[in-house]
Amino acid sequence: MKVIIQRVSMASVTVNDHVVASIQQGLLVLVGVEPSDTEDDAQQMVKKICNLRLFATTTSGFDQSLSDITGDILLVPQFTLMANCQRGRRPSFESAARPPHAKAMFHAVVDAAHAMPIGAVASGVFGANMQVDLTNDGPVTISLNSTNIKG
């Protein structure tokens, strides 16, 4: 599982000119699923995301997590994170999980987020053409891969 985390002051997802999800201060997380991903990967990734110290108090640097500030999270399925651009000019998405597995794992991520002590949990629509609007705070952007998560 690969994710891109962006610290935001606000973010929303629109599908067919209708806002389907929105958050205030917190994290926008783009989620890409690999065929080998499991529910345990989803839970570990969400735990890591919610406990990363990406927010600052007025006196110091990155010293508070999403859980610490009870911030919101917006999760967006993003199979293009699995793009391989090594050959040619057209990305290959062969390393992305097939839709049934990817959808199940994305929903496992959403469910895991609902179990965390954070603010609102919102999500984009799997398989939809989405427009994502955000105000990146910082900017702070972090990428994570579930194969590299320890504790």
Side-chain angles (χ1 to χ4, degrees), residues 20-94:
V20 297
S22 65
I23 64 166
Q24 294 302 311
Q25 181 184 26
L27 300 174
L28 167 65
V29 181
L30 306 175
V31 180
V33 178
E34 296 171 296
S36 62
D37 288 333
T38 66
E39 288 191 24
D40 186 55
D41 292 324
Q43 291 173 0
Q44 291 302 316
M45 182 66 82
V46 169
K47 183 179 175 184
K48 184 71 162 186
I49 291 166
C50 292
N51 289 301
L52 278 174
R53 293 180 179 182
L54 300 177
F55 297 89
T57 62
T58 56
T59 59
S60 59
F62 291 12
D63 60 352
Q64 291 190 310
S65 68
L66 189 68
S67 295
D68 293 332
I69 68 162
T70 318
D72 298 343
I73 192 168
L74 175 54
L75 300 157
V76 178
Q78 181 88 26
F79 80 94
T80 60
L81 290 179
M82 300 296 132
N84 181 336
C85 299
Q86 291 179 334
R87 294 182 37 199
R89 297 183 302 151
R90 184 177 307 201
S92 167
F93 300 104
E94 290 178 11

Side-chain angles (χ1 to χ4, degrees), residues 6-13 19 21-29 55 66 69-75 118-123 133-137:
Q6 295 181 302
R7 187 176 73 188
V8 298
S9 56
M10 64 75 56
S12 65
V13 173
V19 175
S22 65
I23 64 166
Q24 294 302 311
Q25 181 184 26
L27 300 174
L28 167 65
V29 181
F55 297 89
L66 189 68
I69 68 162
T70 318
D72 298 343
I73 192 168
L74 175 54
L75 300 157
I118 58 176
V121 176
S123 66
D133 184 30
L134 67 133
T135 302
N136 195 322
D137 181 18

